[in-house]
Amino acid sequence: MAKIYTKDGWINWEYIFNQGAAFTMIVGARGTGKTYGAMKELITRGEKFIYLRRLKTQLDNCGKATGNPFKRLNLDNDWNILPFSVGGNIEFRKEDRNGDLVAVGVALSTVATIRGIDFSDFNYIIFDQAVAMIGEKPIKNEFESFLNFYETVNRNRELLGDKPVQVVLLGNANRLSNPYFTGWRFM
């Protein structure tokens, strides 16, 4: 367990990403730095990623200055990662609309049924708030939709000799009965 946390008690994202697991699910208390730390690690490594949210309304809020998930990271690290709406998704770029791409934001509720998207240049997915809050709108066949989206992104990379896309599912411990725990038979 000591390697999972830093000496300061934060999640040790360097260690977790270095394990190379295709799926990692981190569920814990609110405000413990799950999203912050995962995104910081990938940005520091120079890795762009897919920022996945469950619902389109959640993603839309992330596309506003007030809901920008990089706001605290920007303040703490003197970065300027900004959201830009592009065809129903959000591109998070450094400095301006023409800046380096850091992440593309997509909503599971809309991309899970779409096929033929080329995400071959993304090796990581951060699924923020994967565990729905109590009272939040359910997604029909959510686990299967997630697996379909993963297959769209991963595109049989292992058959080509490449590493699989790494997904980190992040959630607050507000309900253990969720589509991912039951889908993977953790429950």
Side-chain angles (χ1 to χ4, degrees):
M1 290 283 286
K3 293 181 183 179
I4 296 173
Y5 300 100
T6 66
K7 61 181 169 62
D8 298 325
W10 299 104
I11 296 171
N12 185 347
W13 285 107
E14 179 182 13
Y15 173 80
I16 289 171
F17 281 117
N18 286 342
Q19 299 310 299
F23 301 101
T24 302
M25 189 156 192
I26 308 286
V27 176
R30 293 183 66 209
T32 57
K34 296 180 294 290
T35 304
Y36 180 100
M39 293 194 309
K40 183 178 181 183
E41 179 66 25
L42 291 180
I43 294 166
T44 302
R45 290 180 179 208
E47 297 282 356
K48 64 183 177 179
F49 56 91
I50 296 170
Y51 179 74
L52 181 64
R53 294 298 300 255
R54 290 183 65 254
L55 304 173
K56 179 78 166 93
T57 54
Q58 295 167 336
L59 182 66
D60 290 344
N61 284 332
C62 293
K64 299 173 184 171
T66 56
N68 181 356
F70 296 91
K71 189 174 7 178
R72 185 80 237 175
L73 284 162
N74 286 340
L75 289 170
D76 292 348
N77 298 283
D78 198 29
W79 295 341
N80 192 23
I81 300 170
L82 303 170
F84 299 96
S85 183
V86 178
N89 296 328
I90 297 172
E91 291 182 351
F92 296 97
R93 293 186 173 271
K94 292 181 179 176
E95 305 300 331
D96 59 33
R97 188 173 289 280
N98 298 314
D100 292 339
L101 181 67
V102 173
V104 62
V106 298
L108 181 63
S109 61
T110 57
V111 297
T113 59
I114 299 171
R115 304 290 182 267
I117 302 171
D118 185 359
F119 286 113
S120 60
D121 52 337
F122 290 89
N123 296 317
Y124 298 91
I125 299 171
I126 294 180
F127 190 173
D128 196 15
Q129 304 298 332
V131 178
M133 294 185 304
I134 294 171
E136 195 172 287
K137 180 182 174 185
I139 298 173
K140 185 177 180 179
N141 301 317
E142 182 170 339
F143 182 67
E144 292 78 8
S145 295
F146 167 75
L147 293 178
N148 283 332
F149 176 67
Y150 179 77
E151 179 54 33
T152 296
V153 176
N154 195 54
R155 285 285 187 237
N156 300 313
R157 293 177 193 214
E158 298 92 331
L159 297 176
L160 301 171
D162 295 329
K163 294 178 181 177
V165 171
Q166 283 185 259
V167 181
V168 175
L169 297 94
L170 304 170
N172 295 324
N174 50 14
R175 62 171 37 169
L176 292 178
S177 177
N178 65 69
Y180 306 95
F181 282 9
T182 56
W184 278 311
R185 299 189 179 171
F186 295 160
M187 302 276 310

